[in-house]
């Protein structure tokens, strides 16, 4: 998340051909979020895999991060830590594009309709963003979990095999399995994260998004 937030603004500036004189086009905000999300995920993919395998373990007490990483490397080498990276990056790209662009665009539109910069505006934009993230990332989240937990039928490790597995077992609705819990996570998470981010920007003398 830190990388995603940190990369978003510089990418927006890079694509701004008006030197800040005009509002950046929505597609450019989406692109900035997409690239920021994908880049951050490519770097952090091993930590996602370790976290999912720790959660999926039936050991008691649960294995440590070091133990899981050691097991993965012993079995598949360093490359094993990047199992499912395609799905991870795809999910993160969608999440980044949705999260950053939705928040940015919603805030811009609310300001145009008379909302003043402040906690109320941040809260409203964050709530909408949390719902949007849940809708767009749920399919990739379910595929990522199947791949990284090693529970894909036939031992497949690609997005296509995971998607086929979900369709075969649960039908199209399987892509949105756990939607309520995901929203329960992303809703408060977005509100807290954007509130903290905006506060830090203000404290550092940087303008609001």
């Amino acid at each position: 998340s830190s990388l995603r937030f940190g990369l978003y603004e510089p990418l927006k500036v890079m694509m701004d051909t008006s030197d800040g004189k005009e509002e950046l086009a929505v597609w450019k905000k989406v692109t900035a979020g997409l690239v920021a999300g994908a880049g951050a995920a490519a770097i952090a993919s091993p930590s996602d895999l370790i976290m999912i395998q720790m959660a999926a373990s039936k050991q008691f007490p649960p294995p440590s991060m070091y133990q899981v990483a050691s097991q993965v490397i012993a079995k598949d080498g360093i490359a094993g830590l990047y199992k499912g990276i395609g799905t991870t990056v795809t999910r993160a790209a969608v999440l980044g594009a949705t999260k950053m662009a939705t928040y940015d665009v919603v805030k811009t539109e609310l300001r145009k309709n008379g909302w003043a910069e402040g906690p109320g505006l941040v809260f409203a934009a964050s709530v909408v963003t949390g719902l949007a993230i849940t809708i767009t990332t749920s399919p990739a989240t379910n595929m990522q979990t199947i791949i990284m937990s090693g529970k894909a039928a036939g031992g497949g490790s690609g997005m296509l095999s995971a998607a086929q597995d979900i369709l075969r077992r649960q039908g199209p609705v399987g892509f949105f399995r756990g939607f309520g819990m995901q929203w329960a996570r992303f809703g408060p998470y977005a509100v807290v994260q954007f509130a903290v981010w905006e506060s830090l920007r203000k404290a550092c003398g940087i303008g609001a998004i």
Side-chain angles (χ1 to χ4, degrees):
S1 289
S2 297
L3 283 169
R4 187 183 304 119
F5 276 94
L7 291 171
Y8 180 65
E9 197 78 11
L11 287 167
K12 277 179 60 180
V13 172
M14 284 175 58
M15 292 188 288
D16 187 0
T17 55
S18 69
D19 293 324
K21 297 175 183 176
E22 299 177 6
E23 184 65 35
L24 198 67
V26 173
W27 73 267
K28 290 186 177 181
K29 293 179 180 180
V30 171
T31 301
L34 187 151
V35 174
I43 295 170
S45 183
S47 63
D48 271 353
L49 182 136
I50 292 170
M51 177 186 68
I52 288 174
Q53 294 211 0
M54 286 173 67
S57 175
K58 295 180 181 178
Q59 288 182 223
F60 186 82
S64 66
M65 290 180 65
Y66 177 77
Q67 288 174 320
V68 172
S70 297
Q71 290 169 5
V72 171
I73 293 172
K75 181 181 178 182
D76 302 315
I78 295 295
L81 292 173
Y82 291 88
K83 181 180 180 181
I85 189 172
T87 309
T88 301
V89 170
T90 299
R91 174 185 177 275
V94 172
L95 189 154
T98 305
K99 182 177 186 176
M100 307 309 295
T102 299
Y103 180 77
D104 201 340
V105 171
V106 170
K107 275 196 75 178
T108 299
E109 292 304 312
L110 289 177
R111 276 195 294 256
K112 288 179 181 178
N113 283 278
W115 286 56
E117 189 65 49
L121 179 58
V122 172
F123 178 80
S126 299
V127 169
V128 174
T129 301
L131 177 59
I133 291 171
T134 309
I135 293 171
T136 58
T137 64
S138 185
T141 297
N142 281 298
M143 287 188 285
Q144 178 191 35
T145 300
I146 286 176
I147 292 170
M148 288 190 166
S149 65
K151 293 182 179 179
S157 61
M159 290 180 64
L160 182 58
S161 61
Q164 290 173 335
D165 193 26
I166 290 173
L167 283 171
R168 182 170 56 253
R169 293 182 183 183
Q170 303 163 15
V173 72
F175 288 107
F176 294 91
R177 182 182 181 185
F179 183 88
M181 290 303 296
Q182 290 183 57
W183 189 13
R185 173 197 167 204
F186 278 126
Y189 169 76
V191 171
V192 172
Q193 196 172 48
F194 279 113
V196 171
W197 187 40
E198 293 282 22
S199 297
L200 288 173
R201 290 174 65 90
K202 184 177 181 179
C204 293
I206 304 173
I209 286 294

